[in-house]
Amino acid sequence: MKAVRILLAAALLAAGCTANASTSNDVDVVIGYQSKTINTVTAGTLLRSLGYFEQRLADLGKRDGKRYHVTWQDYSTGAPITAQMVAGKIDIGSMGDYPLLINGSRTQEFGDGRTKLIAATGYNLLGALNMVVVPPNSPAHTLADLRGKKISASIGSAGHGTTVHALQNIGIGPDDVHLQNQAPAVGASGLLSGSVDALGQFVAWPGQLVFANQARLLYDGSALNLPTWHGVVVRESYADTHHDVVTEFLRAQRDATDYLHAHPMDAALKVASATKLPAEVVYLYNGAGGMVTFDLPLKRPLIGALETDAPFLRSIGNIKRLDLGAFVDDRYLREIYGPAYGAAVSIVDNPSPVTGFDTTCSRSVTDPHTAGELWLSGETATHPAATPSCLLKAVAHAGKPVRAAYVPDAATGTRWFADKAVWVRDADGALLPFTTEDGARAHLAGHPGAIVSYAQAVEESR
C-alpha cells in the first residue's frame, strides 16, 4: 500500500510538472489599438491585417519552443486602453500624444502598472492631424466664432488637446465654451443633428465628415505649429518578462511601415476594408505624400512636443505628475535598428512623398510641398500633379469622374481634398489652395487677390 501511495504521489508530481511546463510555454500578448485612428495603423489595423506580428511570433516560437497567442482589442480612443493597461489587461497599446502623456502619468501612480513609450507610429510636424469642423452651413468662419458654443471632443484625446490649446491661444478659456465630453462617433452624430456646434477630433473623423459633405473644416491643427503624433506603449512588467515579444512587435511594426511606404494605395485599401472608412479618406492621410509621416524612431521634435504638452495638460488638470525621462524608452528601437538608429532618428521628412511624371504639365514631380494627386474613377493608381495648377488642369481634362483629388495647403502644406479647399486667385492669376477660410484670408491680408469657388478654379484651368 505504501508503494502504491509513493507511485501515486510520483504520478501526480509528474503531471503537475507537465502542466506547469505547458503553462509556462504559452505566452499571451494583448494589443490595444484604435482601428479608426488611422495614423496608428502600422501598430494596429494594417499590422493586424497583414499578420506580420503573428508570423514573427510563430518564428520566435520555433526558436524558443513557446506558443504565442495574440489578442487584438479595438477601442475608439486611448483612454480605455490606458485604463486596461493600469489593470494589467492590455500589454501593448497605441494612442495619440496627449493620451500617451496621460498614460505615463496614470501608470506612474501605480508601482506595478508603469508603462514605457517605446516607438512612434505616425506624425505631422505642424499638428494637422487634429482639426475642428462645423456643419457645412455654420455661421462660424473662424475659431473665435465658437465662443459660447457647444464643442464636442473626447476629453484627454489628441483632438481635445488641440482644440483647447488653440482656443486658449486666442483668449477663449474653458469657461467661454460648452465642452461636451463625447466619443468621436457620438460627437459626429451630434454635429449632424445640430446638438453641438463644432467637433474637435483626431484623424480620420474630420476628413471623413468633410469628404461626406457633412462638415466644413474650420480650424486646421497645423496653425498650432506643434507636432502631433501617435506612439506605442508597453507595460514595463510585461516587457521585462517578455522582452522578445516586444522586440518582435516592433520588428513587425517596422515591416508594416515598410509595406505602407512601398504599397500606399494597397495599404489604404486594406485599412478601408477593415475599418469601413472611405478609401479616399484613408488615402488622404496614409497615401504617398499623405498628412501622416509613418516612422518608428522617437525623434527629437516629437519628444519636444511632449515636453510642451505636459505642462499644458497639467494646467487643465489632465495629468498630475510625469517623469518623462523615465517614460520614454528607445532601447528596444536601438536594438532592432542597430547602428542605423542614429541616422533614422534624425530624419523627419516623409519617406513616401508623391513622385512620378506629371503628364498634364509634362514635368517630373520634384517638390513635395506643391505636389498633389488625382484619383480617377475605376482606377487603382493615382496620377501625380506637380503643382496645384497642374492638378486643376488635370481635373478639367480628366475625361472621367474624379474619385478624389488631393492638394497641399499653399501655406502649411497640409494635404486636403481639392474640392473642399478654399481657393484664392492671386493678382498674377495663380490659383492657390488653403484648407480653411481663415488661412485663405490670412494670405489675402498680405497679397491682393480674391477667393474663388473650386468649380471656377477648375474652369479657369481649362
Side-chain angles (χ1 to χ4, degrees):
M1 191 68 177
K2 182 176 181 181
V4 172
R5 286 197 298 268
I6 292 173
L7 288 172
L8 180 59
L12 289 172
L13 181 59
C17 290
T18 301
N20 290 337
S22 176
T23 301
S24 66
N25 281 341
D26 285 279
V27 179
D28 293 319
V29 54
V30 181
I31 312 297
Y33 75 113
Q34 303 168 64
S35 64
K36 285 182 165 37
T37 306
I38 55 178
N39 46 328
T40 65
V41 295
T42 53
T45 307
L46 181 62
L47 177 58
R48 182 179 185 181
S49 174
L50 294 169
Y52 286 164
F53 185 37
E54 288 82 354
Q55 292 171 22
R56 283 194 168 274
L57 289 182
D59 292 340
L60 177 62
K62 293 176 182 177
R63 299 194 299 270
D64 64 15
K66 296 181 180 180
R67 292 180 295 273
Y68 294 93
H69 310 281
V70 182
T71 301
W72 297 86
Q73 295 184 356
D74 188 8
Y75 297 87
S76 61
T77 64
I81 297 177
T82 290
Q84 292 292 84
M85 294 187 86
V86 170
K89 295 181 179 180
I90 286 180
D91 306 307
I92 300 173
S94 56
M95 59 192 70
D97 41 17
Y98 284 82
L100 285 171
L101 289 167
I102 294 171
N103 181 283
S105 177
R106 295 281 190 275
T107 61
Q108 284 183 7
E109 294 179 33
F110 304 92
D112 295 332
R114 284 176 175 258
T115 55
K116 295 287 189 180
L117 172 56
I118 59 172
T121 59
Y123 61 86
N124 182 284
L125 289 180
L126 294 181
L129 303 182
N130 305 313
M131 294 176 163
V132 180
V133 296
V134 294
N137 298 320
S138 169
H141 295 280
T142 71
L143 203 62
D145 295 331
L146 295 184
R147 186 184 294 272
K149 303 298 183 180
K150 294 179 181 178
I151 305 174
S152 174
S154 305
I155 300 299
S157 72
H160 165 244
T162 291
T163 302
V164 174
H165 200 157
L167 288 169
Q168 288 193 345
N169 279 356
I170 58 172
I172 298 180
D175 296 333
D176 299 322
V177 295
H178 303 285
L179 199 63
Q180 314 292 307
N181 181 17
Q182 297 174 333
V186 176
S189 296
L191 192 76
L192 299 181
S193 69
S195 62
V196 296
D197 301 294
L199 175 73
Q201 275 298 352
F202 47 81
V203 297
W205 290 96
Q208 178 183 0
L209 291 166
V210 171
F211 178 75
N213 296 316
Q214 296 173 328
R216 168 169 51 85
L217 183 59
L218 182 74
Y219 181 80
D220 177 353
S222 65
L224 277 182
N225 193 22
L226 178 67
T228 184
W229 60 291
H230 283 60
V232 178
V233 285
V234 62
R235 286 194 302 112
E236 185 176 26
S237 59
Y238 185 87
D240 289 344
T241 307
H242 303 294
H243 180 96
D244 287 346
V245 174
V246 177
T247 55
E248 291 306 318
F249 180 86
L250 293 180
R251 288 190 176 96
Q253 183 190 341
R254 191 179 182 187
D255 294 339
T257 303
D258 291 343
Y259 181 91
L260 184 146
H261 291 156
H263 310 284
M265 177 59 74
D266 188 57
L269 293 175
K270 286 183 182 297
V271 171
S273 176
T275 62
K276 308 308 177 187
L277 288 167
E280 299 89 342
V281 174
V282 178
Y283 195 79
L284 168 73
Y285 297 106
N286 295 12
M291 287 170 62
V292 186
T293 297
F294 288 94
D295 211 1
L296 282 71
L298 294 170
K299 305 176 184 188
R300 181 59 214 168
L302 307 184
I303 303 305
L306 294 185
E307 293 169 349
T308 299
D309 294 338
F312 172 72
L313 285 174
R314 289 192 193 98
S315 72
I316 62 175
N318 279 48
I319 65 174
K320 295 179 181 178
R321 62 178 182 82
L322 172 66
D323 183 346
L324 194 59
F327 180 49
V328 178
D329 187 352
D330 65 0
R331 58 186 162 137
Y332 301 97
L333 288 175
R334 292 183 181 278
E335 180 178 338
I336 67 170
Y337 276 79
Y341 187 71
V345 79
S346 66
I347 299 172
V348 295
D349 292 337
N350 193 330
S352 180
V354 178
T355 58
F357 188 77
D358 181 342
T359 56
T360 300
C361 287
S362 299
R363 54 185 286 193
S364 295
V365 176
T366 57
D367 187 352
H369 300 97
T370 62
E373 288 182 281
L374 179 62
W375 188 357
L376 297 177
S377 180
E379 298 185 359
T380 56
T382 60
H383 301 266
T387 66
S389 295
C390 291
L391 179 72
L392 290 171
K393 186 176 179 181
V395 171
H397 297 89
K400 61 172 66 175
V402 174
R403 186 165 177 178
Y406 307 99
V407 67
D409 182 288
T412 65
T414 298
R415 181 179 172 94
W416 201 234
F417 298 111
D419 62 326
K420 311 301 182 188
V422 180
W423 289 85
V424 168
R425 186 201 307 110
D426 266 354
D428 61 1
L431 290 163
L432 303 175
F434 296 88
T435 56
T436 65
E437 182 181 337
D438 221 9
R441 297 203 178 280
H443 175 82
L444 288 172
H447 304 81
I451 292 177
V452 299
S453 69
Y454 174 65
Q456 186 175 349
V458 172
E459 186 59 33
E460 290 182 12
S461 302
R462 289 188 184 278

